[in-house]
């Protein structure tokens, strides 16, 4: 049985626009789960293969607060995440993404109408 908070996290991650990234803690805050950054990471590992509510959950757009991919460099998951981000024109240098250039900053309408939590 899945943790009921996973759905909140998945819905929030689905809102990250293409070409943008968000940090684990940022997603936790936006999902109404402040201080639960580790839960965000855990939930992303449990995303159903067919996504959530008929849409993909772009797990690869979530990075750590230092602006880095969290998987070990050279691992399959690291390479997969890096390639997904580069396919969306996100610049990845080593394992780092410049948050000032690529971090998702939801606008007021997204905060009021798209985020449910």
């Amino acid at each position: 049985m899945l943790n009921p908070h996973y759905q909140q996290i998945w819905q929030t991650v689905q809102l990250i626009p293409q070409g943008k990234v968000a940090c684990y803690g940022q997603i936790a805050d936006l999902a109404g789960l402040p201080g639960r950054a580790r839960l965000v990471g855990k939930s992303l590992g449990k995303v159903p293969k067919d996504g959530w509510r008929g849409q993909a959950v772009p797990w690869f757009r979530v990075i750590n607060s230092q602006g880095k991919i969290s998987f070990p460099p050279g691992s399959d998951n690291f390479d997969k995440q890096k390639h997904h981000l580069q396919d969306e024109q996100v610049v990845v240098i080593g394992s780092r993404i410049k948050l000032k250039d690529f971090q998702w900053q939801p606008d007021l309408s997204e905060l009021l109408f798209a985020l449910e939590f």
Side-chain angles (χ1 to χ4, degrees):
M1 189 164 135
L2 290 176
N3 183 317
H5 296 307
Y6 287 5
Q7 297 169 14
Q8 289 171 243
I9 293 165
W10 297 339
Q11 283 180 251
T12 304
V13 171
Q14 286 176 326
L15 296 173
I16 305 170
Q18 185 172 334
K20 294 292 182 183
V21 296
C23 300
Y24 293 99
Q26 177 185 4
I27 294 300
D29 289 346
L30 292 171
L33 302 165
R36 306 295 301 272
R38 289 178 186 254
L39 183 64
V40 172
K42 189 173 182 181
S43 75
L44 293 177
K46 305 277 188 186
V47 174
K49 294 235 184 283
D50 56 349
W52 177 247
R53 291 187 175 170
Q55 289 185 323
V57 177
W59 60 269
F60 56 89
R61 294 182 187 148
V62 183
I63 60 174
N64 70 33
S65 62
Q66 298 170 354
K68 291 182 172 181
I69 295 173
S70 292
F71 295 112
S75 68
D76 287 343
N77 285 332
F78 176 91
D79 292 339
K80 188 183 294 187
Q81 185 170 12
K82 184 175 180 177
H83 291 303
H84 278 302
L85 291 170
Q86 289 174 328
D87 286 347
E88 293 188 352
Q89 311 309 313
V90 174
V91 176
V92 183
I93 300 170
S95 63
R96 187 176 293 272
I97 294 104
K98 281 190 176 180
L99 290 176
K100 74 175 182 124
D101 295 335
F102 295 102
Q103 187 172 22
W104 175 43
Q105 299 294 335
D107 61 26
L108 186 59
S109 66
E110 286 175 304
L111 291 171
L112 291 174
F113 304 115
L115 291 163
E116 297 180 25
F117 311 105

